[in-house]
Amino acid sequence: MPQRRIGAFEVSAIGLGCMNLSHAYGAPVSAEQGERVLLAALDAGVTLFDTAALYGFGANESLVGRVLKAHRSRITLCSKGGMTGQPVGPGGALQRVIDGRPASIRRDVEASLQRLGTDVIDLYYLHRWDKQVPIEDSVGEMARLQAEGKLRALGLSEVSTATLRRAHAVAPMAALQSEYSLWSRNAELGTLAACSELGIAYVAFSPVARAYLTGTLRDVSGFDAKDIRRAMPRFTPGNYANNLKLLDGHAELAREAGCTPAQLAMAWLLHRGPHVLPIPGTTSVEHLHENLGAASVRLSADLIARLDALFAPQAIHGARYNATNSAEVDTEAFAEGSAPGA
C-alpha cells in the first residue's frame, strides 16, 4: 500500500471510513461483519481508520476500539467530536446535536477515549463548526487537550478556507476532512489549494459519492427509512435520473484505465495531489479490496481531463445537502446558477 502523510503520521494512501458499519445507510451490519471488515483492512495494509462520536451514537467508536485495540500501535486512529448524540426532550431520545463549546469538546474527547479504549487519539477533528461558538474557542480547547497528551494531532471537517486559516492560526491543523469526489468538487473552490499551501492533509470522505460512482446504484426508490441519502437532493428520483446519464461515460473511462468505476473515482482523487487521502467506507470485504486496488491505478493527463469535463460541477443535478444540513456546514459552494449541484 502506498503511503501518504498526515502531520507527523505516515499512513496508507487510502484509509477506511468506518461510519458505514454502524450508521447512515440503513440498519448497521452485525458486530461480527464489522469486525471482519476492520481486520481485513488491517491485513490489507490500511493504517488510517476514521470514526466519530456521532456514528451510531458511540457504537462505531466502541466497535473500532474493541476490534483494533490489540493492533493499536500499527494504526493511526482518528475520531471526531462537536457533533454527537445527546438526549433531547421529555423522552430523552438521542438526537444529533452540534455543540462546539469548550466544555462540550472536552466532554466529547473524554467519552471517545473511553469508547475507543485508548489513552490518546492520534487525529481528532471538530466534526462540524458550531457557528454559535468562535472557531478559535473550539480549537483552543482541542489544543489544550493536545497539550495534555489526550490528542496527538488536530483537524476540522466541512469548513471553508477562511475558517481553516483562522483555526490554523490558533493551533496547527494536520487535516481537513470534507466530502470530495467527482460529483462534489467544492474543495476546488479554495480548501484544496489552502491545504497544499499550509501542509495540511485533505481527507476525502464519500470518495465514490455514496455509491453513485460505483455504477451499481441505479434505483434510489428502495432506500431504508434511516438511509441519510433519502434527504439528499441529488438522490431524489428526478435529479438522480439526470445524474445517471453521466455513468456510461464514467464506465467507458474506467474500461480505458483498466479498472472498475469505483477504482477510477478514487484514483482520480489520488491524482489531485499528494496531500489527498480518500477514506471510502464499506460493509463488504470484497468491496474493501476493490477500493484498495485504486492505489495502483495510473491515469494519464488526458483521461483526467476527460473525467473533469464529464463531471463538471454544472453537470450535476441537486445540491449535496438539503437546506437544513447545508446551513450546518461552512464549505464554499458554487455560485447559484453556475452549477445545480452547489
Side-chain angles (χ1 to χ4, degrees):
M1 173 69 67
Q3 305 292 293
R4 295 196 170 185
R5 296 202 69 83
I6 298 181
F9 302 107
E10 187 172 274
V11 300
S12 53
I14 299 175
L16 181 67
C18 300
M19 178 185 76
N20 304 39
L21 302 175
S22 310
H23 181 84
Y25 300 127
V29 297
S30 67
E32 292 76 17
Q33 179 62 15
E35 181 172 349
R36 279 191 287 271
V37 171
L38 290 168
L39 293 179
L42 189 71
D43 289 344
V46 173
T47 58
L48 179 64
F49 290 84
D50 184 271
T51 182
L54 178 70
Y55 303 158
F57 295 146
N60 195 249
E61 284 184 321
S62 296
L63 171 68
V64 170
R66 176 180 62 79
V67 174
L68 297 181
K69 186 173 184 177
H71 311 282
R72 183 69 182 85
S73 63
R74 296 171 55 189
I75 67 170
T76 297
L77 181 61
C78 312
S79 195
K80 314 177 198 69
M83 182 165 70
T84 60
Q86 297 296 324
V88 174
L94 291 178
Q95 295 184 26
R96 183 171 63 88
V97 173
I98 296 174
D99 184 353
R101 293 173 297 174
S104 300
I105 297 293
R106 181 168 291 272
R107 174 204 65 204
D108 292 351
V109 168
E110 296 290 358
S112 289
L113 288 168
Q114 288 293 316
R115 288 189 292 263
L116 290 165
T118 187
D119 58 359
V120 61
I121 298 169
D122 296 319
L123 173 56
Y124 191 79
Y125 298 92
L126 185 65
H127 203 159
R128 289 289 186 275
W129 173 33
D130 179 352
K131 297 175 185 178
Q132 304 303 310
V133 179
I135 191 67
E136 292 83 358
D137 291 0
S138 298
V139 169
E141 187 64 16
M142 291 165 64
R144 285 185 283 275
L145 288 157
Q146 183 182 31
E148 293 168 18
K150 295 177 179 180
L151 310 174
R152 290 198 170 108
L154 310 180
L156 300 171
S157 180
E158 293 277 34
V159 299
S160 65
T161 306
T163 304
L164 176 66
R165 291 186 184 279
R166 285 171 57 191
H168 193 66
V170 174
M173 293 292 107
L176 170 65
Q177 181 177 145
S178 288
E179 183 174 359
Y180 189 25
S181 71
L182 281 163
W183 86 339
S184 294
R185 295 173 62 177
N186 306 61
E188 295 166 20
L189 294 173
T191 50
L192 189 66
C195 284
S196 180
E197 172 198 336
L198 298 171
I200 298 171
Y202 196 107
V203 178
F205 74 76
S206 296
V208 293
R210 307 181 193 275
Y212 165 69
L213 290 168
T214 67
T216 60
L217 182 62
R218 294 283 171 170
D219 181 7
V220 294
S221 64
F223 285 148
D224 183 272
K226 294 185 178 180
D227 194 311
I228 62 174
R229 291 172 293 187
R230 291 171 62 95
M232 294 179 174
R234 289 183 181 176
F235 289 97
T236 60
N239 283 333
Y240 202 70
N242 282 302
N243 292 327
L244 282 176
K245 296 174 184 177
L246 304 178
L247 292 184
D248 287 343
H250 182 56
E252 179 57 37
L253 290 173
R255 285 190 290 270
E256 185 175 328
C259 64
T260 68
Q263 289 171 338
L264 179 62
M266 277 182 289
W268 177 84
L269 280 168
L270 291 169
H271 283 72
R272 302 315 278 182
H275 61 308
V276 178
L277 298 92
I279 51 167
T282 184
T283 59
S284 160
V285 172
E286 178 184 0
H287 291 160
L288 166 73
H289 289 300
E290 177 189 353
N291 291 340
L292 299 180
S296 62
V297 175
R298 300 291 175 262
L299 304 179
S300 68
D302 174 70
L303 195 147
I304 291 172
R306 283 184 282 156
L307 268 175
D308 288 348
L310 177 64
F311 290 100
Q314 61 267 26
I316 308 302
H317 288 253
R320 285 201 303 142
Y321 295 129
N322 60 26
T324 298
N325 296 135
S326 291
E328 294 174 346
V329 301
D330 180 48
T331 46
E332 290 91 349
F334 291 94
E336 187 174 352
S338 69

